[in-house]
Amino acid sequence: MAQVQRWYLGYSYRGKPQDMIEKISREVQEQNLSKFLPIVRLEKGAKPRQSFYFFVAIESDNIGIIPPEIEASQLLRLPYFKNPAVRGNSAFTYKQIKNMVGVAHDVFDYTNPIPYQVQKPVIKDSPFDWTGLLISQPSSQVEEFSKRCDRLLYLLSAMGCGTCESFRKVCDTLNLDNPKSILRRLKLLGHLESSNDGKRWAVAPSALVEIKSDSESPEFILCGQRSEKLLQQLHQYGEVISKPQPQGNAPDCIRVKTKKIDQITQELDLLNPGEVSRQLIERLSDISDWQKSLTPLPGIVVPLYQWKRFDREINDFIECILPNETGMYQMWHSEQTGIAPRTLFYEGDTQTWRQGDWYGLRFLALYHNNSHSIVRYDTMMDCLAIPWNQRSPEIYERALVLASGFLPTYYKNQESGWLIYENIGKDLVQKLVEKLHLTCEED
């Protein structure tokens, strides 16, 4: 049997790299071609509206021979493939292009017969590895989970509001685990709100939230109450695009491109709150003031409980005798009562216990430990990368999610894991950095 080899087709293109990658990826997935075309690599420094080179990896028995499955598809008829990188020759080995596309990602080309020397790990790896974007076919499990999340939002929309127990029962009915995590995602996406004590929830009114877009028509995301009838009605006013969330762990993002927003809001009784991400980040307070706004929890008799303190070095809780310094703690009942531990934040200077969302309390613990969070911003792609173990408090993260309608994508490189948020304008990044006292590095 002949050894499968990886080689590259090279082309030049002028436009927005991210849009090009998305459309090529969609075509590959729809035509089930990921076996023959697994990755796309971009020229280093590729910028929107400027000419750049890109290379698609081809896996076949012989270099230069395009698999018949690709030839028979519509993929190479897309406008991106009109201009070969070199006239008369668009086939390249990885050795020929590796200096051009950079090595910020894993460069091990397992099907390339050309020997190479393994490089030492890059000390400072970038989370924005757009030069080696994997194209993977969505698994049937992810697709099914996404559909169940859609059905969940339809059911919750019909119910309107309820208790945390009713929310859990609906999740159980749809075989959806971790209802608390699902509730948090729905809040980030602007679909639900919950009471401060977490005991009740309510679906937000249907709204078309404006997002920053290069489209000729203004672009909006559908938040809040949702029904199949509403989606059908929206098709009468413009282009409606449904895209799954990165991990399929929440309802699809519904984007609407239309110039008839006033007509929609009047005839379909939808809200038009404008660009919510920008408005929200403007109104949010400094992290110190946000800490003071968290609900205090008085009357805790410390010796009656067992305690664990969050340790940033291991990103986990370790046992401690008594809480005596500012940080995040788990409070355990001394006796086997079957009651789950509570996670709280302790202010050492005021001896005050406060409750809030888990990620927000961890962020405070890191902040008070002088563990400054370093985020990365890609000005070309309008993407913000935040270390996965330094996630922002929920209300601040909501401003990032509502900028695109998508939950963050998890990306793992040589050094660590990152959460990558899309469609984030530089002004939004500046406000977030200022209010959370972050350090931002631009790629």
Side-chain angles (χ1 to χ4, degrees):
M1 181 180 294
Q3 181 185 11
V4 175
Q5 300 186 69
R6 178 176 294 180
W7 52 282
Y8 294 84
L9 287 171
Y11 299 89
S12 65
Y13 179 69
R14 184 185 183 90
K16 194 169 184 180
Q18 189 173 8
D19 286 349
M20 181 200 73
I21 290 174
E22 287 181 357
K23 291 178 181 178
I24 292 177
S25 300
R26 189 181 306 119
E27 186 70 21
V28 168
Q29 292 168 7
E30 290 177 354
Q31 300 298 322
N32 197 22
L33 298 174
S34 58
K35 177 181 177 181
F36 310 101
L37 197 160
I39 64 174
V40 174
R41 299 181 188 270
L42 297 187
E43 176 187 4
K44 284 200 302 183
K47 296 181 179 180
R49 304 178 188 88
Q50 294 185 12
S51 295
F52 61 87
Y53 292 103
F54 73 95
F55 304 85
V56 293
I58 302 294
E59 295 196 343
S60 62
D61 293 340
N62 297 293
I63 293 179
I65 303 299
I66 299 175
E69 290 84 355
I70 292 181
E71 291 278 20
S73 72
Q74 297 296 316
L75 176 66
L76 297 182
R77 295 175 179 79
L78 293 176
Y80 315 110
F81 300 99
K82 288 184 177 180
N83 300 310
V86 178
R87 184 172 300 177
N89 176 32
S90 59
F92 302 88
T93 63
Y94 177 70
K95 185 176 181 179
Q96 292 174 307
I97 67 171
K98 69 176 183 179
N99 292 331
M100 188 177 194
V101 297
V103 291
H105 51 278
D106 181 6
V107 299
F108 183 71
D109 200 346
Y110 67 93
T111 59
N112 192 335
I114 301 175
Y116 73 100
Q117 183 177 0
V118 177
Q119 302 294 320
K120 294 182 179 180
V122 180
I123 295 177
K124 191 175 184 181
D125 214 355
S126 172
F128 304 111
D129 189 11
W130 297 107
T131 58
L133 182 72
L134 291 178
I135 299 177
S136 58
Q137 182 77 10
S139 69
S140 57
Q141 184 178 3
V142 169
E143 290 180 353
E144 175 58 29
F145 194 75
S146 181
K147 291 178 182 177
R148 277 184 274 158
C149 289
D150 285 336
R151 291 197 291 271
L152 173 65
L153 183 53
Y154 290 145
L155 287 173
L156 297 177
S157 297
M159 295 169 63
C161 61
T163 63
C164 61
E165 181 61 20
S166 67
F167 186 89
R168 184 189 64 79
K169 288 182 178 179
V170 176
C171 289
D172 287 345
T173 301
L174 295 171
N175 294 319
L176 294 171
D177 298 327
N178 302 318
K180 288 185 178 180
S181 297
I182 293 175
L183 178 63
R184 184 180 189 276
R185 296 182 204 123
L186 293 176
K187 291 170 66 178
L188 289 176
L189 291 164
H191 298 315
L192 262 66
E193 296 294 345
S194 64
S195 57
N196 290 334
D197 59 10
K199 293 182 178 181
R200 296 194 62 84
W201 60 269
V203 179
S206 301
L208 286 177
V209 173
E210 187 174 357
I211 61 174
K212 182 169 65 73
S213 173
D214 292 332
S215 173
E216 293 182 1
S217 298
E219 192 165 352
F220 305 84
I221 54 175
L222 178 63
C223 297
Q225 198 169 31
R226 182 182 297 182
S227 67
E228 292 182 341
K229 180 181 178 181
L230 175 59
L231 297 184
Q232 293 172 358
Q233 291 174 322
L234 287 173
H235 280 279
Q236 302 173 14
Y237 298 90
E239 182 182 3
V240 180
I241 305 170
S242 178
K243 290 186 178 182
Q245 295 294 331
Q247 285 78 42
N249 56 4
D252 286 357
C253 172
I254 305 297
R255 289 194 174 187
V256 181
K257 295 181 180 180
T258 180
K259 295 180 180 179
K260 301 178 181 179
I261 184 62
D262 292 334
Q263 184 180 351
I264 293 176
T265 54
Q266 292 176 8
E267 296 181 0
L268 300 185
D269 194 26
L270 294 181
L271 298 178
N272 175 22
E275 197 171 342
V276 173
S277 62
R278 186 187 302 272
Q279 298 171 20
L280 183 56
I281 200 66
E282 288 283 354
R283 295 174 184 177
L284 288 174
S285 59
D286 179 272
I287 186 63
S288 299
D289 292 330
W290 178 77
Q291 176 183 325
K292 295 174 184 176
S293 71
L294 294 178
T295 304
L297 198 64
I300 294 180
V301 182
V302 172
L304 295 180
Y305 303 94
Q306 295 176 345
W307 298 92
K308 291 184 179 181
R309 178 178 58 82
F310 179 77
D311 188 301
R312 67 180 180 87
E313 297 294 338
I314 63 173
N315 195 44
D316 202 354
F317 291 89
I318 59 175
E319 292 186 2
C320 65
I321 300 175
L322 292 175
N324 56 9
E325 60 183 51
T326 298
M328 182 168 69
Y329 292 85
Q330 277 187 343
M331 182 179 73
W332 295 72
H333 288 261
S334 300
E335 299 178 359
Q336 298 298 323
T337 60
I339 301 176
R342 296 190 66 175
T343 302
L344 302 170
F345 185 80
Y346 180 65
E347 294 177 357
D349 53 347
T350 63
Q351 297 184 349
T352 302
W353 290 98
R354 297 189 184 275
Q355 52 187 341
D357 72 282
W358 195 94
Y359 293 109
L361 299 186
R362 183 179 66 176
F363 187 91
L364 281 178
L366 295 172
Y367 170 69
H368 284 277
N369 198 257
N370 294 320
S371 299
H372 298 294
S373 181
I374 298 179
V375 301
R376 306 286 291 276
Y377 181 59
D378 189 314
T379 56
M380 179 182 71
M381 298 295 183
D382 286 341
C383 289
L384 178 68
I386 294 178
W388 71 272
N389 58 354
Q390 298 180 28
R391 197 167 198 155
S392 304
E394 181 182 296
I395 190 63
Y396 296 87
E397 186 177 10
R398 187 186 296 196
L400 297 175
V401 171
L402 290 179
S404 66
F406 287 103
L407 295 168
T409 300
Y410 176 74
Y411 175 83
K412 181 73 169 64
N413 62 17
Q414 295 182 25
E415 289 187 336
S416 59
W418 297 84
L419 297 171
I420 300 181
Y421 300 83
E422 301 179 22
N423 202 39
I424 308 298
K426 192 168 184 177
D427 54 340
L428 185 61
V429 175
Q430 290 173 339
K431 288 290 184 181
L432 186 76
V433 167
E434 174 187 333
K435 296 189 175 185
L436 293 184
H437 299 189
L438 307 174
T439 300
C440 182
E441 298 179 354
E442 293 188 6
D443 283 20

